[in-house]
Amino acid sequence: MNFTQGIIIKGIGGFYYVMNSEGTVFETRACGRFRKEKTVPVVGDRVRLNESCDSVTEILPRTCSFIRPPVANIEQMIVVISTVSPQVDLRLADAMLFYFETKGADSVICINKADIADAEDIERVKKIYESACYKVIVASAEENRGTDELRDVLKNKISAFSGNSGVGKSSLLSMVCGRKLETGELSRKTQRGRHTTRHVELIPLDFGGFVLDTPGFGRFDLPLMTTDNVKNYFREFKPFEGQCRFAGCMHTSEPGCAVLDALEKGIISESRMESYKSFMNELRGVKEWQLKRKGSV
């Protein structure tokens, strides 16, 4: 029997819209066995359809998955920040990067609003993340700046935009799509004029690839893990692996620590190290709370 393979680009009211490699979209339902297996197809899933192309019969292995919003197989995140209106929140940006690293998704930093920001502030933030081994794109949705660079990183990949409110995610998305996206296409407006996501959807890009149509990556709870694993998700630490005096060095206060030496030399930024220690303390606090709770049962 022949099967059609594609990717779920939208799911509404129990219907899944699957696009195949030729760009044809099929309206489908999930086959009954998924309910028995307690499996729910989500946007981004690569799936197989039955012969009549009206039922999803198989979900192919996922490379990654997210709960909020419910999506799978996102290859990279475009983390949008600005140095003005709103001011950059380095702790939040680092939390996003850390979260996406634990999910196995690549990240690109996009500094938006370059038309109104101070050039020195942009360079300061750019240096922080380039030294942390991230690609940084300086953009302005107002001036159509950074379009080619963004399209290059988005081409032939499944991507999502992330960032706090007001940084211009929707404007950048409109810029790279080459047209102004309608409000209803991205979201619906409440009576107060704020945008809330109507549904999760993958938008096919004319130059290849998909971009996720949702601002839903707004809350970043640190994934539960032991504190000794946190260092594995800071890219700038990797060049110094095995160079510390003590095996299992936590890079916080140990003598002979190669990472702390790099910090002192300015190779690793102070803000990134502050975020690293903050995540360590936060996870340590969660662990202590769990132990206390377990002991009280």
Side-chain angles (χ1 to χ4, degrees):
M1 183 178 290
N2 293 322
F3 291 88
T4 297
Q5 183 173 324
I7 183 171
I8 297 177
I9 61 170
K10 181 170 58 176
I12 301 177
F15 288 95
Y16 299 94
Y17 297 84
V18 179
M19 178 180 285
N20 67 10
S21 59
E22 297 176 355
T24 303
V25 178
F26 301 96
E27 184 182 81
T28 71
R29 292 272 196 176
C31 70
R33 70 178 178 83
F34 291 133
R35 286 192 295 273
K36 295 179 182 178
E37 297 172 356
K38 296 183 179 180
T39 301
V40 179
V42 297
V43 168
D45 271 332
R46 295 181 177 89
V47 298
R48 294 189 189 278
L49 306 180
N50 63 354
E51 196 170 45
S52 57
C53 295
D54 60 5
S55 178
V56 174
T57 60
E58 182 183 356
I59 299 173
L60 301 180
R62 295 168 175 167
T63 58
C64 66
S65 62
F66 298 85
I67 297 174
R68 292 189 303 267
V71 294
N73 300 318
I74 299 298
E75 295 174 272
Q76 68 177 358
M77 296 288 178
I78 310 301
V79 178
V80 184
I81 59 178
S82 67
T83 60
V84 61
S85 187
Q87 293 288 334
V88 62
D89 184 341
L90 295 177
R91 171 61 170 72
L92 176 61
D94 290 341
M96 293 182 203
L97 295 173
F98 179 75
Y99 179 74
F100 299 142
E101 288 283 339
T102 66
K103 291 289 186 178
D106 193 13
S107 294
V108 174
I109 297 287
C110 180
I111 306 174
N112 193 23
K113 302 188 179 183
D115 55 304
I116 60 173
D118 184 84
E120 289 186 4
D121 288 339
I122 291 175
E123 283 303 311
R124 175 180 62 84
V125 175
K126 186 170 183 281
K127 182 179 179 181
I128 288 172
Y129 290 106
E130 284 183 336
S131 67
C133 306
Y134 288 99
K135 180 176 179 62
V136 179
I137 297 172
V138 178
S140 167
E142 289 296 319
E143 296 181 344
N144 213 36
R145 177 180 172 184
T147 306
D148 291 341
E149 286 184 89
L150 278 171
R151 287 179 177 173
D152 283 345
V153 299
L154 294 171
K155 187 175 181 179
N156 297 328
K157 292 183 179 179
I158 302 175
S159 308
F161 282 61
S162 176
N164 61 337
S165 179
V167 294
K169 299 183 293 294
S170 296
S171 297
L172 288 172
L173 184 54
S174 295
M175 182 180 78
V176 298
C177 288
R179 60 190 175 91
K180 184 173 178 58
L181 297 173
E182 298 297 327
T183 297
E185 189 172 356
L186 282 172
S187 57
R188 61 178 173 81
K189 277 191 175 182
T190 66
Q191 290 182 346
R192 296 181 181 179
R194 296 182 64 186
H195 291 77
T196 56
T197 305
R198 180 178 57 188
H199 58 258
V200 180
E201 183 175 353
L202 286 179
I203 300 175
L205 298 171
D206 293 339
F207 47 88
F210 296 87
V211 66
L212 192 68
D213 170 8
T214 176
F217 290 100
R219 180 180 174 183
F220 298 93
D221 296 326
L222 295 183
L224 293 178
M225 64 175 67
T226 57
T227 53
D228 58 339
N229 280 327
V230 176
K231 60 188 177 184
N232 298 329
Y233 301 103
F234 276 71
R235 295 184 179 186
E236 59 268 51
F237 292 0
K238 294 189 183 298
F240 306 101
E241 284 183 0
Q243 298 182 30
C244 298
R245 183 185 302 175
F246 302 107
C249 181
M250 300 292 283
H251 314 319
T252 54
S253 59
E254 299 86 343
C257 173
V259 170
L260 293 178
D261 183 55
L263 173 67
E264 189 174 334
K265 293 177 179 176
I267 299 171
I268 292 174
S269 76
E270 291 185 5
S271 66
R272 289 283 291 172
M273 180 57 75
E274 288 173 5
S275 291
Y276 168 70
K277 291 180 178 179
S278 172
F279 300 160
M280 292 272 286
N281 290 332
E282 186 172 334
L283 288 170
R284 189 176 290 115
V286 170
K287 183 66 175 178
E288 289 174 355
W289 177 82
Q290 288 177 327
L291 290 172
K292 288 179 181 179
R293 186 182 183 191
K294 185 177 180 181
S296 65
V297 175

